[in-house]
Amino acid sequence: MTLLSANTSRLGATIHNNSDQICYVKLGTTASATDFTVVLDKQNANLVGGYYEVPAGYTGRIDAIWAANSTGAALVTELT
């Protein structure tokens, strides 16, 4: 799934995984369990999930996929 479309005005972005499954994030298209940029840990009982700051200057598409059906979502903030 696409988390963010390409945006030449992007200054930065953050992604937080608040689901109950591991999330594979790719700077580019078509994330998979074997082709990804970063793995975000699942949310646990302490409400801590994986967090990622997209490198400054990256303006391309960002995709993600979860390890299994999940409850929750990726919380994405794009800075423009």
Side-chain angles (χ1 to χ4, degrees):
M1 84 177 300
T2 299
L3 295 180
L4 286 173
S5 297
N7 180 355
T8 58
S9 297
R10 182 183 306 138
L11 300 175
T14 63
I15 303 167
H16 173 79
N17 181 20
N18 80 335
S19 79
D20 60 354
Q21 295 294 322
I22 290 171
C23 180
Y24 298 93
V25 176
K26 182 174 180 183
L27 299 182
T29 59
T30 318
S32 73
T34 58
D35 187 11
F36 57 87
T37 303
V38 64
V39 177
L40 300 183
D41 199 11
K42 61 186 175 181
Q43 185 169 324
N44 60 34
N46 296 320
L47 301 178
V48 176
Y51 173 81
Y52 179 66
E53 291 184 1
V54 176
Y58 180 76
T59 60
R61 181 170 144 175
I62 301 172
D63 280 2
I65 190 168
W66 279 263
N69 289 336
S70 67
T71 300
L75 304 178
V76 180
T77 301
E78 182 176 42
L79 308 170
T80 56

